[in-house]
Amino acid sequence: MLDQPHRTPAEPSLDEKALAKALSGQHFIAGRFVAARSGKTFDVVNPATGEVIGQAAEGDAADVEAAVQDADRAQKDWAKMPSRKRGALVSQCAALLNQHKEELARLIALETGKALRTESRVEAGAVADIFEMYGGLGGELKGESVPFAPNVLSVTVREPLGVVGAIIPWNVPMLLMALKVAPALVAGNTVVVKSAEEAPLTVLRICELLNRVLPPGCFNMLSGFGPECGGPLVQHKLVKKVTFTGSVEVGRIIAKGAAEKLVPVTLELGGKSPMIVFADCDFDKTVMGAITSMRFTRQGQSCTAASRIYVERPIYQRFVDAMAAKVDAMVMGDPLDEKTDIGTIISDEQFAKVKGFIDEGLATSGATGRACSAMPEDPALKKGLFIQPYIFTDLANESRLVQEEIFGPVTVVFPFDDAEKVLADANGTDYGLAASLWTNNLTLGLDLANRLEAGLVQINQNLVVQANLSYGGVKSSGLGKEASLESMLEHFMHKKTIMVNYAS
Ligand code: NAI
Ligand code: MG
């Protein structure tokens, strides 16, 4: 074992750079920091400056083997613990996360370039909220009694699945991890997380913190690349459930891996979420709604971003102009600066991908792309991955910018005249994660909400995932749900039927 002494502070630390260094180069297995078996590491980069802020352990099959074996050993005792006791420990985790909220917010801002005030603090708060919610549900792992025949008692009991393998992305890594880890633990499973290569440090800090409360081996974390570290985790025979958030392409690979072993899989795979605005909406509220729905503050790197906005023709031009003016007024800059509204793109790879979409839009004949907000002037940020938000108009519905997930600060606005036609366009992509409708005519709004192909439809608001509300897509946006009591019961447990014949 290549054990390393804990170099991380016990108390919340607001020195995010020192914390990033202290967390460097390690996995967290069975309650301890350990280096990769191969000794390899890779750099973690601050996307706002291009500076290397630390290293991550480069995990492979040997590290997966160690982590899964330990998680499997720990699972036996964890599952025996009364479920309300497990819930109480997860509630203690929530309290600890709350104490470390500002620390985690600063560290994630450094690591991912997400603005502290508008994004990172919000994420840190939501993480604690998810743990708190699931911590309170330990007593809800109930089965049923089922009428079968006289003198036969027939009941179902719920049992955990075993070791859960969780693979997470970089855009909201703490929250997306919490949605998997908290219910898996309360249900009596243990977890091995494979973090995203772009954002391995903050989630590692969370893992370390929670291990102060949880028995060793219940919550383990590996960093590394997808095929080399995520692949063996999916394939490991002791991993009895796989849960993933990320791209459709990798989602398919993971579903195939789980199918080989015949274990259940949950997939959350992004979207191309429509926002439909009727002329009778509350105009100012809806313009602000478009800005927040598009997650411009996160450079649009959100699976629920309102990347297609359909506006009823009488207010169309005024709406586009008002949106552009609002985005123009937003400040793009140092993610850790309180004045900053908009941070950076995560990586060179995503930067190139988003730029490619923008260039394609600008080169489309007849289309208009309006660049909003100003690039930061601070010379320290000159290597930063900042992209000006773009509002495109006059693009065809078949355009790649309208059909594919861009995962950047790019939205396309269309005028519409007819509710049936706009519904068909809104449903006309492969995705089906989220949608929003903006109207004061609730009869119309509810009718369309029922016919939109999406896992989450909101009228006159467009919030991100919320604790206690079922979340997850249809079509290519995924399989299975997260964030609710039912998702814990259905996706992290199985039901066993027990029958007792007591006829004399
Ligand atoms: P990705 O799907 O490649 O990565 C997500 C996670 O999967 C990472 O931890 C990665 O290491 C892992 N992974 C990659 N290949 C794997 C494999 N063969 N086996 C096991 N694990 C594997 O996403 P990426 O490359 O970061 O972003 C590409 C696009 O995916 C984005 O532009 C966006 O459109 C979409 N995306 C959607 C997200 C969502 O919230 N649904 C989050 C992140 C990306
Ligand atoms: Mg990828």
Side-chain angles (χ1 to χ4, degrees), residues 172-196:
V172 214
M174 301 192 284
L175 175 60
L176 299 177
M177 178 176 81
L179 290 175
K180 302 175 187 331
V181 172
L185 287 172
V186 173
N189 307 282
T190 54
V191 188
V192 178
V193 174
K194 206 293 278 170
S195 58

Side-chain angles (χ1 to χ4, degrees), residues 167-172 176 194-198 224-235 244-251 253-254 268-271 298 301-304 346-347 349-350 353-354 405-408 431 433 471 477:
I167 298 180
I168 56 170
W170 43 264
N171 60 329
V172 214
L176 299 177
K194 206 293 278 170
S195 58
E197 39 276 60
E198 299 83 354
F225 298 104
E228 294 77 11
C229 187
L233 181 62
V234 173
Q235 286 149 19
F244 169 77
T245 300
S247 62
V248 177
E249 183 195 356
V250 174
I253 296 174
I254 286 176
E268 202 271 87
L269 307 177
R298 203 192 299 161
Q301 299 169 115
S302 161
C303 40
T304 53
I346 185 77
S347 65
E349 190 185 339
Q350 288 295 310
K353 179 184 163 194
V354 176
E405 184 173 52
I406 300 175
F407 232 62
Y431 289 104
L433 185 58
Y471 175 73
S477 288

Side-chain angles (χ1 to χ4, degrees), residues 38 127 268 295 377 495:
S38 67
V127 173
E268 202 271 87
R295 325 280 184 239
E377 281 168 9
K495 238 188 219 181

Side-chain angles (χ1 to χ4, degrees), residues 115 118-119 287-302 305-306 309 323-324 326-327 330-332 341-344 370 372 387-392 408-413:
T118 56
E119 287 289 338
V287 170
M288 263 329 286
I291 307 297
T292 48
S293 296
M294 187 42 222
R295 325 280 184 239
F296 279 121
T297 47
R298 203 192 299 161
Q299 284 272 6
Q301 299 169 115
S302 161
I309 304 181
M323 249 187 95
K326 282 262 185 276
V327 186
M330 292 169 88
V331 177
M332 187 155 49
D341 297 305
I342 305 177
T344 72
R370 203 144 136 183
C372 303
I387 294 185
Q388 274 184 290
Y390 267 85
I391 298 173
F392 276 94
V410 181
T411 194
V412 185
V413 193

Side-chain angles (χ1 to χ4, degrees), residues 266-447:
T266 303
L267 305 172
E268 202 271 87
L269 307 177
K272 193 71 193 175
S273 300
M275 167 170 182
I276 303 175
V277 178
F278 287 91
D280 73 341
C281 70
D282 177 333
F283 186 85
D284 293 337
K285 179 179 158 191
T286 309
V287 170
M288 263 329 286
I291 307 297
T292 48
S293 296
M294 187 42 222
R295 325 280 184 239
F296 279 121
T297 47
R298 203 192 299 161
Q299 284 272 6
Q301 299 169 115
S302 161
C303 40
T304 53
S307 47
R308 301 182 290 148
I309 304 181
Y310 300 90
V311 184
E312 211 172 5
R313 198 172 302 270
I315 61 165
Y316 168 73
Q317 197 54 53
R318 191 160 69 97
F319 195 88
V320 175
D321 293 341
M323 249 187 95
K326 282 262 185 276
V327 186
D328 269 334
M330 292 169 88
V331 177
M332 187 155 49
D334 178 358
L336 282 152
D337 187 333
E338 297 286 346
K339 289 195 290 298
T340 297
D341 297 305
I342 305 177
T344 72
I345 294 284
I346 185 77
S347 65
D348 291 332
E349 190 185 339
Q350 288 295 310
F351 189 86
K353 179 184 163 194
V354 176
K355 281 280 191 198
F357 276 107
I358 293 172
D359 291 345
E360 191 173 319
L362 293 174
T364 305
S365 104
T368 308
R370 203 144 136 183
C372 303
S373 184
M375 291 293 279
E377 281 168 9
D378 183 349
L381 304 176
K382 70 176 185 305
K383 289 194 184 140
L385 302 177
F386 296 95
I387 294 185
Q388 274 184 290
Y390 267 85
I391 298 173
F392 276 94
T393 51
D394 302 304
L395 273 168
N397 206 46
E398 298 68 41
S399 155
R400 225 167 58 89
L401 274 79
V402 184
Q403 294 296 319
E404 293 181 22
E405 184 173 52
I406 300 175
F407 232 62
V410 181
T411 194
V412 185
V413 193
F414 299 90
F416 77 87
D417 301 296
D418 175 57
E420 290 304 318
K421 168 80 169 63
V422 82
L423 181 71
D425 285 345
N427 285 338
T429 71
D430 291 339
Y431 289 104
L433 185 58
S436 68
L437 293 152
W438 301 74
T439 176
N440 279 312
N441 180 348
L442 281 184
T443 305
L444 172 69
L446 282 169
D447 175 43

